[in-house]
Amino acid sequence: MNIKGKPLSLIIPEDKIRTRVKELAKEIEGDMGGPFIVVSLLKGSFVFTADLIREFSVPVKVDFMWVSSYGSSQESSGGVRVIQDLIIDVQGEKVLLVDDILDTGYTLREVVELLKRKNPSVLKVCVFLDKPQRRKVDIKADYVGFEVPNKFLVGYGLDWDEEGRNLRGIYAVD
Ligand code: 5GP
Ligand code: MG
């Protein structure tokens, strides 16, 4: 498989993802102890969010936030611009923030601050992938699907210049 002529190597196959998503959902649901609101960050986390929410057996509401980080496309530098804010009011509600990948941490740190200002009663963070080696700010996710090496990854919602989101596994661009 390749994108824009560059070969892709499989890092996480589809069946491993499916198993891990089920495990994560069980753990999250147990901790939340009742209904909650899933806040999914566009665009990268839409595939993960779609799979995750269908594993929950408590009632969940789903909303989306779309932010863009300042800096180059492959490295954020702190500060985000809100392109699309939440529609659901999360004040006093339990919230699970879902993102595709925790890299430097700048994006998530900013979004967590934005969400805290909306006064949810609980705010937990779930990321599908974590690149701990790349961290620049002190932030940890409460739930992590997989720790991954410091490579540029695509698939399962993650893109390279808008391509590759539809791949069923996670691939590294070689
Ligand atoms: P951070 O602010 O943590 O550096 O950046 C997080 C965002 O950068 C992710 O939500 C994602 O949009 C993008 N990103 C970071 N690493 C990768 C990667 O390996 N592949 C893709 N497609 N996006 C990444
Ligand atoms: Mg993102």
Side-chain angles (χ1 to χ4, degrees):
M1 222 162 337
N2 67 77
I3 293 186
K4 299 174 199 295
K6 283 222 177 190
L8 302 178
S9 37
L10 184 63
I11 300 282
I12 311 170
E14 190 183 354
D15 60 328
K16 283 227 172 88
I17 293 176
R18 199 175 312 124
T19 306
R20 184 68 187 123
V21 169
K22 283 190 206 303
E23 286 172 3
L24 274 176
K26 209 171 201 178
E27 192 186 344
I28 292 166
E29 191 167 295
D31 291 352
M32 288 301 210
F36 57 95
I37 298 174
V38 175
V39 171
S40 172
L41 290 188
L42 293 171
K43 298 181 194 175
S45 69
F46 82 101
V47 176
F48 176 44
T49 302
D51 282 348
L52 190 67
I53 61 170
R54 284 177 293 172
E55 299 297 333
F56 293 134
S57 49
V58 293
V60 292
K61 293 177 183 174
V62 183
D63 204 352
F64 297 92
M65 241 177 124
W66 190 1
V67 302
S68 82
S69 48
Y70 297 114
S72 70
S73 59
Q74 294 204 358
E75 174 140 18
S76 53
S77 55
V80 295
R81 186 166 61 93
V82 177
I83 298 171
Q84 166 73 56
D85 206 347
L86 294 182
I87 291 168
I88 298 177
D89 183 8
V90 299
Q91 168 139 11
E93 306 285 343
K94 293 177 183 175
V95 169
L96 178 74
L97 175 61
V98 176
D99 201 8
D100 52 357
I101 181 164
L102 181 50
D103 189 31
T104 62
Y106 286 125
T107 309
L108 217 50
R109 181 181 64 181
E110 296 291 320
V111 173
V112 163
E113 283 314 307
L114 289 174
L115 282 179
K116 278 184 179 164
R117 277 182 236 151
K118 297 176 189 284
N119 293 312
S121 63
V122 171
L123 178 58
K124 299 278 188 191
V125 176
C126 174
V127 294
F128 179 60
L129 303 175
D130 186 6
K131 278 183 192 165
Q133 296 165 323
R134 292 256 308 161
R135 201 76 82 257
K136 297 260 172 66
V137 299
D138 185 24
I139 184 166
K140 276 208 179 83
D142 300 288
Y143 309 98
V144 173
F146 299 93
E147 276 197 11
V148 286
N150 185 11
K151 293 181 174 174
F152 192 76
L153 305 173
V154 296
Y156 200 64
L158 286 91
D159 72 307
W160 179 27
D161 198 12
E162 298 300 332
E163 289 185 41
R165 296 192 197 276
N166 57 318
L167 299 172
R168 289 172 173 268
I170 290 289
Y171 295 81
V173 180
D174 290 327

